[in-house]
Amino acid sequence: MFEAAIVLLYGLVTAAAVAVTMLEGWTNHDGLTLHRLAGLIACLLWPLTLVVFVLHGCVMRLLTRLSRSAA
C-alpha cells in the first residue's frame, strides 16, 4: 500500500512538472527544442530524489530497529 502511494505521488509530481514545461513551451510558441526536450527528461528524473530520501528513511529506521534488538 505504501509503495503504491509513493508511485502515485511520483507520477503526480512528474505529470505536474511535465504539464508546466509543456505549457511554458506552448505559451512561448517555442515548440519542441533541445532545451525543452532536456527539460522534459529532467521532469521525469528529478522526483527520484524523493524516492532516494524515502528509501534512506526506511533503511535508517530498519537499522535503528535492528540495533535496538541486538543490544
Short mmCIF file of all heavy atoms in Angstrom, two decimals:
data_model
loop_
_atom_site.label_atom_id
_atom_site.label_comp_id
_atom_site.label_asym_id
_atom_site.label_seq_id
_atom_site.Cartn_x
_atom_site.Cartn_y
_atom_site.Cartn_z
N MET A 1 0.82 -1.20 0.00
CA MET A 1 0.00 0.00 0.00
C MET A 1 0.86 1.26 0.00
O MET A 1 0.59 2.20 -0.72
CB MET A 1 -0.92 -0.04 1.22
CG MET A 1 -1.83 1.13 1.33
SD MET A 1 -3.01 1.14 -0.01
CE MET A 1 -3.90 2.58 0.35
N PHE A 2 1.92 1.23 0.83
CA PHE A 2 2.80 2.39 0.92
C PHE A 2 3.54 2.61 -0.40
O PHE A 2 3.70 3.74 -0.84
CB PHE A 2 3.79 2.18 2.07
CG PHE A 2 4.74 3.33 2.25
CD1 PHE A 2 4.29 4.54 2.74
CD2 PHE A 2 6.07 3.19 1.94
CE1 PHE A 2 5.16 5.60 2.92
CE2 PHE A 2 6.96 4.24 2.11
CZ PHE A 2 6.50 5.45 2.60
N GLU A 3 3.94 1.50 -1.03
CA GLU A 3 4.65 1.61 -2.30
C GLU A 3 3.75 2.19 -3.38
O GLU A 3 4.19 2.98 -4.21
CB GLU A 3 5.19 0.24 -2.75
CG GLU A 3 6.28 -0.30 -1.87
CD GLU A 3 5.76 -1.04 -0.65
OE1 GLU A 3 4.53 -1.26 -0.57
OE2 GLU A 3 6.57 -1.37 0.22
N ALA A 4 2.50 1.81 -3.37
CA ALA A 4 1.55 2.34 -4.35
C ALA A 4 1.35 3.84 -4.16
O ALA A 4 1.26 4.59 -5.15
CB ALA A 4 0.21 1.61 -4.24
N ALA A 5 1.33 4.28 -2.92
CA ALA A 5 1.19 5.71 -2.65
C ALA A 5 2.41 6.48 -3.13
O ALA A 5 2.28 7.58 -3.69
CB ALA A 5 0.97 5.94 -1.15
N ILE A 6 3.58 5.91 -2.95
CA ILE A 6 4.82 6.56 -3.40
C ILE A 6 4.83 6.65 -4.92
O ILE A 6 5.18 7.69 -5.49
CB ILE A 6 6.05 5.80 -2.88
CG1 ILE A 6 6.16 5.94 -1.37
CG2 ILE A 6 7.33 6.26 -3.56
CD1 ILE A 6 6.37 7.36 -0.90
N VAL A 7 4.46 5.57 -5.60
CA VAL A 7 4.43 5.58 -7.07
C VAL A 7 3.40 6.59 -7.57
O VAL A 7 3.65 7.33 -8.52
CB VAL A 7 4.14 4.17 -7.61
CG1 VAL A 7 3.86 4.19 -9.10
CG2 VAL A 7 5.30 3.24 -7.31
N LEU A 8 2.26 6.66 -6.92
CA LEU A 8 1.24 7.63 -7.30
C LEU A 8 1.74 9.06 -7.09
O LEU A 8 1.56 9.92 -7.97
CB LEU A 8 -0.04 7.40 -6.50
CG LEU A 8 -1.20 8.35 -6.79
CD1 LEU A 8 -1.68 8.18 -8.23
CD2 LEU A 8 -2.32 8.14 -5.81
N LEU A 9 2.37 9.31 -5.97
CA LEU A 9 2.92 10.64 -5.70
C LEU A 9 3.98 10.99 -6.73
O LEU A 9 4.01 12.11 -7.25
CB LEU A 9 3.50 10.69 -4.29
CG LEU A 9 4.12 12.02 -3.86
CD1 LEU A 9 3.06 13.10 -3.82
CD2 LEU A 9 4.78 11.87 -2.51
N TYR A 10 4.85 10.05 -7.05
CA TYR A 10 5.90 10.28 -8.05
C TYR A 10 5.27 10.62 -9.40
O TYR A 10 5.67 11.56 -10.07
CB TYR A 10 6.76 9.03 -8.18
CG TYR A 10 7.95 9.19 -9.10
CD1 TYR A 10 9.15 9.63 -8.60
CD2 TYR A 10 7.86 8.91 -10.45
CE1 TYR A 10 10.25 9.79 -9.42
CE2 TYR A 10 8.95 9.07 -11.28
CZ TYR A 10 10.14 9.50 -10.76
OH TYR A 10 11.21 9.65 -11.59
N GLY A 11 4.24 9.87 -9.77
CA GLY A 11 3.56 10.12 -11.04
C GLY A 11 2.88 11.47 -11.07
O GLY A 11 2.92 12.18 -12.09
N LEU A 12 2.27 11.87 -9.97
CA LEU A 12 1.59 13.16 -9.93
C LEU A 12 2.57 14.33 -10.01
O LEU A 12 2.33 15.31 -10.72
CB LEU A 12 0.75 13.27 -8.65
CG LEU A 12 -0.50 12.39 -8.60
CD1 LEU A 12 -1.14 12.48 -7.22
CD2 LEU A 12 -1.48 12.78 -9.67
N VAL A 13 3.68 14.21 -9.30
CA VAL A 13 4.69 15.28 -9.34
C VAL A 13 5.29 15.36 -10.73
O VAL A 13 5.46 16.46 -11.29
CB VAL A 13 5.78 15.03 -8.27
CG1 VAL A 13 6.96 15.96 -8.46
CG2 VAL A 13 5.19 15.21 -6.88
N THR A 14 5.59 14.22 -11.33
CA THR A 14 6.15 14.20 -12.68
C THR A 14 5.16 14.78 -13.68
O THR A 14 5.54 15.57 -14.55
CB THR A 14 6.54 12.77 -13.06
OG1 THR A 14 7.49 12.28 -12.12
CG2 THR A 14 7.14 12.72 -14.45
N ALA A 15 3.90 14.39 -13.59
CA ALA A 15 2.90 14.89 -14.52
C ALA A 15 2.72 16.40 -14.39
O ALA A 15 2.58 17.10 -15.41
CB ALA A 15 1.56 14.18 -14.28
N ALA A 16 2.74 16.90 -13.18
CA ALA A 16 2.62 18.34 -12.98
C ALA A 16 3.82 19.08 -13.58
O ALA A 16 3.66 20.11 -14.24
CB ALA A 16 2.49 18.66 -11.49
N ALA A 17 5.02 18.54 -13.38
CA ALA A 17 6.21 19.19 -13.92
C ALA A 17 6.22 19.16 -15.44
O ALA A 17 6.58 20.14 -16.10
CB ALA A 17 7.47 18.52 -13.36
N VAL A 18 5.81 18.04 -16.03
CA VAL A 18 5.74 17.93 -17.49
C VAL A 18 4.70 18.90 -18.03
O VAL A 18 4.92 19.56 -19.05
CB VAL A 18 5.45 16.48 -17.92
CG1 VAL A 18 5.06 16.40 -19.38
CG2 VAL A 18 6.66 15.60 -17.67
N ALA A 19 3.55 18.99 -17.37
CA ALA A 19 2.49 19.89 -17.82
C ALA A 19 2.96 21.34 -17.80
O ALA A 19 2.71 22.09 -18.76
CB ALA A 19 1.25 19.72 -16.95
N VAL A 20 3.64 21.73 -16.75
CA VAL A 20 4.14 23.11 -16.66
C VAL A 20 5.17 23.37 -17.76
O VAL A 20 5.15 24.42 -18.40
CB VAL A 20 4.73 23.39 -15.26
CG1 VAL A 20 5.51 24.69 -15.24
CG2 VAL A 20 3.63 23.41 -14.22
N THR A 21 6.04 22.41 -18.00
CA THR A 21 7.06 22.57 -19.04
C THR A 21 6.41 22.67 -20.41
O THR A 21 6.80 23.50 -21.25
CB THR A 21 8.06 21.40 -18.99
OG1 THR A 21 8.65 21.36 -17.70
CG2 THR A 21 9.14 21.56 -20.03
N MET A 22 5.42 21.84 -20.68
CA MET A 22 4.74 21.88 -21.98
C MET A 22 3.95 23.19 -22.14
O MET A 22 3.95 23.78 -23.22
CB MET A 22 3.81 20.68 -22.13
CG MET A 22 4.55 19.36 -22.23
SD MET A 22 5.69 19.27 -23.62
CE MET A 22 4.57 19.19 -24.98
N LEU A 23 3.30 23.64 -21.09
CA LEU A 23 2.56 24.89 -21.16
C LEU A 23 3.49 26.08 -21.39
O LEU A 23 3.14 27.03 -22.10
CB LEU A 23 1.74 25.11 -19.89
CG LEU A 23 0.47 24.26 -19.78
CD1 LEU A 23 -0.15 24.43 -18.41
CD2 LEU A 23 -0.51 24.62 -20.87
N GLU A 24 4.66 26.03 -20.79
CA GLU A 24 5.63 27.10 -21.00
C GLU A 24 6.05 27.16 -22.46
O GLU A 24 6.14 28.23 -23.06
CB GLU A 24 6.85 26.86 -20.12
CG GLU A 24 7.93 27.90 -20.27
CD GLU A 24 9.18 27.56 -19.50
OE1 GLU A 24 9.40 26.38 -19.18
OE2 GLU A 24 9.96 28.50 -19.23
N GLY A 25 6.29 26.01 -23.06
CA GLY A 25 6.65 25.98 -24.49
C GLY A 25 5.51 26.43 -25.37
O GLY A 25 5.72 27.12 -26.37
N TRP A 26 4.29 26.06 -25.01
CA TRP A 26 3.13 26.45 -25.80
C TRP A 26 2.91 27.97 -25.71
O TRP A 26 2.60 28.62 -26.70
CB TRP A 26 1.90 25.70 -25.29
CG TRP A 26 0.65 26.05 -26.00
CD1 TRP A 26 0.31 25.72 -27.28
CD2 TRP A 26 -0.44 26.79 -25.47
NE1 TRP A 26 -0.93 26.21 -27.57
CE2 TRP A 26 -1.41 26.88 -26.48
CE3 TRP A 26 -0.69 27.40 -24.23
CZ2 TRP A 26 -2.61 27.54 -26.29
CZ3 TRP A 26 -1.88 28.05 -24.06
CH2 TRP A 26 -2.84 28.12 -25.08
N THR A 27 3.11 28.52 -24.51
CA THR A 27 2.94 29.96 -24.32
C THR A 27 3.97 30.76 -25.10
O THR A 27 3.65 31.79 -25.69
CB THR A 27 3.05 30.30 -22.82
OG1 THR A 27 2.08 29.56 -22.10
CG2 THR A 27 2.82 31.77 -22.57
N ASN A 28 5.20 30.28 -25.12
CA ASN A 28 6.27 30.99 -25.83
C ASN A 28 6.33 30.66 -27.32
O ASN A 28 7.18 31.20 -28.02
CB ASN A 28 7.62 30.67 -25.18
CG ASN A 28 7.74 31.21 -23.79
OD1 ASN A 28 7.10 32.18 -23.44
ND2 ASN A 28 8.55 30.57 -22.97
N HIS A 29 5.47 29.77 -27.78
CA HIS A 29 5.44 29.33 -29.18
C HIS A 29 6.81 28.79 -29.61
O HIS A 29 7.27 29.03 -30.72
CB HIS A 29 5.02 30.47 -30.12
CG HIS A 29 3.69 31.04 -29.77
ND1 HIS A 29 2.52 30.35 -29.96
CD2 HIS A 29 3.35 32.23 -29.23
CE1 HIS A 29 1.51 31.10 -29.56
NE2 HIS A 29 1.98 32.25 -29.10
N ASP A 30 7.47 28.06 -28.70
CA ASP A 30 8.80 27.55 -28.97
C ASP A 30 8.79 26.20 -29.67
O ASP A 30 9.72 25.86 -30.38
CB ASP A 30 9.60 27.40 -27.67
CG ASP A 30 10.10 28.73 -27.14
OD1 ASP A 30 10.13 29.69 -27.92
OD2 ASP A 30 10.45 28.79 -25.96
N GLY A 31 7.77 25.41 -29.45
CA GLY A 31 7.78 24.06 -30.00
C GLY A 31 8.66 23.15 -29.15
O GLY A 31 8.90 23.39 -27.98
N LEU A 32 9.16 22.10 -29.78
CA LEU A 32 9.97 21.12 -29.07
C LEU A 32 11.43 21.33 -29.44
O LEU A 32 11.94 20.79 -30.41
CB LEU A 32 9.53 19.70 -29.41
CG LEU A 32 10.11 18.59 -28.54
CD1 LEU A 32 9.67 18.78 -27.10
CD2 LEU A 32 9.68 17.24 -29.05
N THR A 33 12.12 22.16 -28.68
CA THR A 33 13.53 22.43 -28.92
C THR A 33 14.37 21.47 -28.08
O THR A 33 13.84 20.69 -27.28
CB THR A 33 13.87 23.88 -28.54
OG1 THR A 33 13.63 24.04 -27.13
CG2 THR A 33 13.04 24.88 -29.32
N LEU A 34 15.66 21.54 -28.26
CA LEU A 34 16.57 20.69 -27.49
C LEU A 34 16.47 21.02 -25.99
O LEU A 34 16.46 20.11 -25.16
CB LEU A 34 18.01 20.88 -27.98
CG LEU A 34 19.07 20.02 -27.29
CD1 LEU A 34 18.78 18.55 -27.51
CD2 LEU A 34 20.44 20.39 -27.78
N HIS A 35 16.35 22.30 -25.67
CA HIS A 35 16.22 22.69 -24.26
C HIS A 35 14.90 22.21 -23.66
O HIS A 35 14.85 21.80 -22.50
CB HIS A 35 16.34 24.21 -24.12
CG HIS A 35 17.72 24.71 -24.36
ND1 HIS A 35 18.09 25.29 -25.54
CD2 HIS A 35 18.82 24.68 -23.58
CE1 HIS A 35 19.36 25.63 -25.48
NE2 HIS A 35 19.84 25.27 -24.30
N ARG A 36 13.84 22.26 -24.44
CA ARG A 36 12.55 21.77 -23.95
C ARG A 36 12.60 20.26 -23.74
O ARG A 36 12.07 19.75 -22.76
CB ARG A 36 11.45 22.12 -24.95
CG ARG A 36 10.10 21.68 -24.55
CD ARG A 36 9.21 22.71 -23.93
NE ARG A 36 9.41 24.02 -24.48
CZ ARG A 36 9.77 25.06 -23.71
NH1 ARG A 36 9.91 24.92 -22.43
NH2 ARG A 36 9.96 26.23 -24.22
N LEU A 37 13.23 19.55 -24.65
CA LEU A 37 13.36 18.10 -24.50
C LEU A 37 14.20 17.75 -23.26
O LEU A 37 13.85 16.84 -22.51
CB LEU A 37 14.01 17.50 -25.76
CG LEU A 37 14.10 15.99 -25.81
CD1 LEU A 37 12.71 15.37 -25.76
CD2 LEU A 37 14.82 15.56 -27.07
N ALA A 38 15.27 18.49 -23.04
CA ALA A 38 16.08 18.28 -21.83
C ALA A 38 15.25 18.57 -20.57
O ALA A 38 15.38 17.87 -19.56
CB ALA A 38 17.32 19.16 -21.87
N GLY A 39 14.41 19.59 -20.63
CA GLY A 39 13.54 19.90 -19.50
C GLY A 39 12.53 18.80 -19.23
O GLY A 39 12.25 18.48 -18.07
N LEU A 40 12.00 18.21 -20.29
CA LEU A 40 11.04 17.11 -20.10
C LEU A 40 11.73 15.89 -19.50
O LEU A 40 11.15 15.21 -18.64
CB LEU A 40 10.38 16.76 -21.44
CG LEU A 40 9.42 17.80 -21.98
CD1 LEU A 40 8.97 17.44 -23.38
CD2 LEU A 40 8.22 17.96 -21.06
N ILE A 41 12.94 15.61 -19.93
CA ILE A 41 13.68 14.49 -19.34
C ILE A 41 13.99 14.77 -17.87
O ILE A 41 13.88 13.89 -17.02
CB ILE A 41 14.96 14.21 -20.16
CG1 ILE A 41 14.58 13.66 -21.53
CG2 ILE A 41 15.88 13.24 -19.43
CD1 ILE A 41 15.71 13.56 -22.51
N ALA A 42 14.34 16.02 -17.58
CA ALA A 42 14.60 16.40 -16.18
C ALA A 42 13.33 16.25 -15.34
O ALA A 42 13.41 15.86 -14.16
CB ALA A 42 15.13 17.82 -16.11
N CYS A 43 12.18 16.53 -15.92
CA CYS A 43 10.92 16.37 -15.18
C CYS A 43 10.70 14.92 -14.78
O CYS A 43 10.13 14.63 -13.74
CB CYS A 43 9.74 16.83 -16.04
SG CYS A 43 9.64 18.61 -16.26
N LEU A 44 11.15 14.01 -15.62
CA LEU A 44 10.99 12.59 -15.31
C LEU A 44 11.99 12.11 -14.26
O LEU A 44 11.69 11.19 -13.51
CB LEU A 44 11.16 11.76 -16.58
CG LEU A 44 10.11 11.98 -17.66
CD1 LEU A 44 10.49 11.20 -18.91
CD2 LEU A 44 8.74 11.57 -17.17
N LEU A 45 13.15 12.75 -14.20
CA LEU A 45 14.21 12.24 -13.34
C LEU A 45 14.30 12.91 -11.97
O LEU A 45 14.67 12.26 -10.99
CB LEU A 45 15.56 12.38 -14.05
CG LEU A 45 15.73 11.55 -15.31
CD1 LEU A 45 17.09 11.80 -15.92
CD2 LEU A 45 15.53 10.08 -15.02
N TRP A 46 13.97 14.20 -11.86
CA TRP A 46 14.23 14.87 -10.58
C TRP A 46 13.38 14.34 -9.43
O TRP A 46 13.85 14.37 -8.28
CB TRP A 46 14.11 16.39 -10.69
CG TRP A 46 12.73 16.94 -10.75
CD1 TRP A 46 12.04 17.26 -11.84
CD2 TRP A 46 11.88 17.23 -9.64
NE1 TRP A 46 10.81 17.73 -11.51
CE2 TRP A 46 10.68 17.72 -10.16
CE3 TRP A 46 12.02 17.11 -8.26
CZ2 TRP A 46 9.61 18.08 -9.35
CZ3 TRP A 46 10.94 17.49 -7.45
CH2 TRP A 46 9.77 17.97 -8.01
N PRO A 47 12.17 13.80 -9.64
CA PRO A 47 11.46 13.25 -8.48
C PRO A 47 12.13 12.02 -7.88
O PRO A 47 11.76 11.58 -6.81
CB PRO A 47 10.08 12.91 -9.03
CG PRO A 47 9.90 13.81 -10.20
CD PRO A 47 11.26 13.91 -10.80
N LEU A 48 13.15 11.48 -8.55
CA LEU A 48 13.88 10.36 -7.97
C LEU A 48 14.52 10.74 -6.64
O LEU A 48 14.77 9.86 -5.81
CB LEU A 48 14.94 9.85 -8.95
CG LEU A 48 14.42 9.02 -10.11
CD1 LEU A 48 15.56 8.67 -11.04
CD2 LEU A 48 13.73 7.76 -9.62
N THR A 49 14.80 12.02 -6.46
CA THR A 49 15.35 12.43 -5.16
C THR A 49 14.37 12.13 -4.03
O THR A 49 14.78 11.77 -2.93
CB THR A 49 15.71 13.92 -5.16
OG1 THR A 49 14.55 14.68 -5.51
CG2 THR A 49 16.82 14.22 -6.14
N LEU A 50 13.08 12.26 -4.30
CA LEU A 50 12.07 11.89 -3.31
C LEU A 50 12.17 10.41 -2.98
O LEU A 50 12.13 10.02 -1.81
CB LEU A 50 10.66 12.22 -3.84
CG LEU A 50 9.50 11.79 -2.97
CD1 LEU A 50 9.48 12.59 -1.68
CD2 LEU A 50 8.19 11.95 -3.72
N VAL A 51 12.33 9.59 -3.99
CA VAL A 51 12.46 8.15 -3.78
C VAL A 51 13.72 7.84 -2.97
O VAL A 51 13.68 7.00 -2.06
CB VAL A 51 12.48 7.41 -5.14
CG1 VAL A 51 12.77 5.93 -4.97
CG2 VAL A 51 11.18 7.62 -5.88
N VAL A 52 14.81 8.52 -3.27
CA VAL A 52 16.05 8.30 -2.53
C VAL A 52 15.87 8.65 -1.05
O VAL A 52 16.28 7.89 -0.17
CB VAL A 52 17.20 9.11 -3.16
CG1 VAL A 52 18.43 9.11 -2.26
CG2 VAL A 52 17.55 8.56 -4.52
N PHE A 53 15.22 9.76 -0.75
CA PHE A 53 15.02 10.14 0.64
C PHE A 53 14.08 9.18 1.37
O PHE A 53 14.30 8.85 2.54
CB PHE A 53 14.49 11.57 0.74
CG PHE A 53 15.54 12.61 0.51
CD1 PHE A 53 15.40 13.53 -0.52
CD2 PHE A 53 16.67 12.67 1.29
CE1 PHE A 53 16.37 14.48 -0.76
CE2 PHE A 53 17.66 13.63 1.07
CZ PHE A 53 17.50 14.54 0.04
N VAL A 54 13.06 8.69 0.68
CA VAL A 54 12.15 7.73 1.31
C VAL A 54 12.87 6.42 1.59
O VAL A 54 12.74 5.85 2.68
CB VAL A 54 10.90 7.51 0.42
CG1 VAL A 54 10.09 6.32 0.90
CG2 VAL A 54 10.04 8.76 0.41
N LEU A 55 13.64 5.95 0.63
CA LEU A 55 14.40 4.72 0.85
C LEU A 55 15.44 4.89 1.96
O LEU A 55 15.63 3.98 2.77
CB LEU A 55 15.08 4.28 -0.44
CG LEU A 55 14.16 3.72 -1.52
CD1 LEU A 55 14.94 3.40 -2.77
CD2 LEU A 55 13.41 2.50 -1.01
N HIS A 56 16.07 6.05 2.01
CA HIS A 56 17.03 6.31 3.08
C HIS A 56 16.35 6.26 4.44
O HIS A 56 16.87 5.67 5.39
CB HIS A 56 17.68 7.68 2.86
CG HIS A 56 18.66 8.05 3.92
ND1 HIS A 56 18.30 8.78 5.03
CD2 HIS A 56 19.98 7.77 4.05
CE1 HIS A 56 19.36 8.93 5.79
NE2 HIS A 56 20.40 8.34 5.22
N GLY A 57 15.17 6.85 4.54
CA GLY A 57 14.43 6.81 5.79
C GLY A 57 14.04 5.39 6.19
O GLY A 57 14.14 5.01 7.37
N CYS A 58 13.63 4.60 5.22
CA CYS A 58 13.26 3.21 5.51
C CYS A 58 14.46 2.40 5.98
O CYS A 58 14.36 1.62 6.94
CB CYS A 58 12.65 2.55 4.28
SG CYS A 58 11.04 3.20 3.82
N VAL A 59 15.60 2.58 5.33
CA VAL A 59 16.80 1.84 5.71
C VAL A 59 17.27 2.28 7.10
O VAL A 59 17.62 1.44 7.93
CB VAL A 59 17.91 2.05 4.66
CG1 VAL A 59 19.25 1.56 5.16
CG2 VAL A 59 17.54 1.34 3.37
N MET A 60 17.26 3.57 7.37
CA MET A 60 17.69 4.05 8.68
C MET A 60 16.76 3.55 9.79
O MET A 60 17.22 3.18 10.87
CB MET A 60 17.78 5.57 8.70
CG MET A 60 18.87 6.12 7.79
SD MET A 60 20.48 5.38 8.01
CE MET A 60 20.90 6.00 9.61
N ARG A 61 15.47 3.52 9.52
CA ARG A 61 14.52 3.02 10.52
C ARG A 61 14.75 1.54 10.77
O ARG A 61 14.73 1.08 11.92
CB ARG A 61 13.09 3.26 10.03
CG ARG A 61 12.05 2.90 11.06
CD ARG A 61 10.65 3.29 10.62
NE ARG A 61 10.38 2.77 9.29
CZ ARG A 61 9.67 3.40 8.37
NH1 ARG A 61 9.15 4.57 8.63
NH2 ARG A 61 9.46 2.85 7.19
N LEU A 62 15.03 0.77 9.70
CA LEU A 62 15.30 -0.65 9.85
C LEU A 62 16.60 -0.88 10.62
O LEU A 62 16.66 -1.73 11.51
CB LEU A 62 15.38 -1.31 8.47
CG LEU A 62 15.71 -2.79 8.45
CD1 LEU A 62 14.58 -3.57 9.11
CD2 LEU A 62 15.94 -3.27 7.04
N LEU A 63 17.63 -0.11 10.30
CA LEU A 63 18.91 -0.26 11.02
C LEU A 63 18.76 0.11 12.49
O LEU A 63 19.35 -0.54 13.36
CB LEU A 63 19.98 0.59 10.36
CG LEU A 63 20.47 0.11 8.99
CD1 LEU A 63 21.45 1.10 8.40
CD2 LEU A 63 21.06 -1.28 9.09
N THR A 64 17.98 1.14 12.79
CA THR A 64 17.75 1.52 14.17
C THR A 64 17.02 0.41 14.92
O THR A 64 17.38 0.05 16.05
CB THR A 64 16.94 2.83 14.24
OG1 THR A 64 17.64 3.84 13.55
CG2 THR A 64 16.69 3.25 15.67
N ARG A 65 16.02 -0.17 14.28
CA ARG A 65 15.26 -1.25 14.89
C ARG A 65 16.16 -2.47 15.14
O ARG A 65 16.07 -3.11 16.18
CB ARG A 65 14.08 -1.61 14.00
CG ARG A 65 13.07 -2.49 14.68
CD ARG A 65 11.86 -2.75 13.81
NE ARG A 65 11.24 -1.50 13.42
CZ ARG A 65 10.54 -1.33 12.31
NH1 ARG A 65 10.37 -2.31 11.47
NH2 ARG A 65 10.00 -0.17 12.03
N LEU A 66 17.02 -2.78 14.17
CA LEU A 66 17.91 -3.93 14.32
C LEU A 66 18.97 -3.69 15.40
O LEU A 66 19.31 -4.61 16.14
CB LEU A 66 18.59 -4.23 12.99
CG LEU A 66 17.70 -4.83 11.90
CD1 LEU A 66 18.46 -4.97 10.60
CD2 LEU A 66 17.12 -6.16 12.35
N SER A 67 19.46 -2.47 15.50
CA SER A 67 20.48 -2.18 16.53
C SER A 67 19.88 -2.23 17.94
O SER A 67 20.55 -2.61 18.89
CB SER A 67 21.15 -0.85 16.27
OG SER A 67 20.24 0.22 16.49
N ARG A 68 18.63 -1.83 18.07
CA ARG A 68 17.99 -1.88 19.39
C ARG A 68 17.69 -3.32 19.80
O ARG A 68 17.78 -3.66 20.97
CB ARG A 68 16.69 -1.08 19.38
CG ARG A 68 16.91 0.39 19.36
CD ARG A 68 15.62 1.16 19.42
NE ARG A 68 15.87 2.57 19.32
CZ ARG A 68 14.95 3.48 19.07
NH1 ARG A 68 13.68 3.09 18.93
NH2 ARG A 68 15.25 4.75 18.98
N SER A 69 17.35 -4.17 18.84
CA SER A 69 17.05 -5.55 19.18
C SER A 69 18.33 -6.34 19.47
O SER A 69 18.30 -7.32 20.21
CB SER A 69 16.28 -6.24 18.05
OG SER A 69 17.08 -6.33 16.88
N ALA A 70 19.47 -5.91 18.92
CA ALA A 70 20.73 -6.60 19.16
C ALA A 70 21.33 -6.21 20.52
O ALA A 70 22.10 -6.96 21.11
CB ALA A 70 21.74 -6.27 18.06
N ALA A 71 20.97 -5.06 21.03
CA ALA A 71 21.55 -4.58 22.30
C ALA A 71 20.85 -5.15 23.50
O ALA A 71 19.91 -5.77 23.55
CB ALA A 71 21.47 -3.07 22.36
#
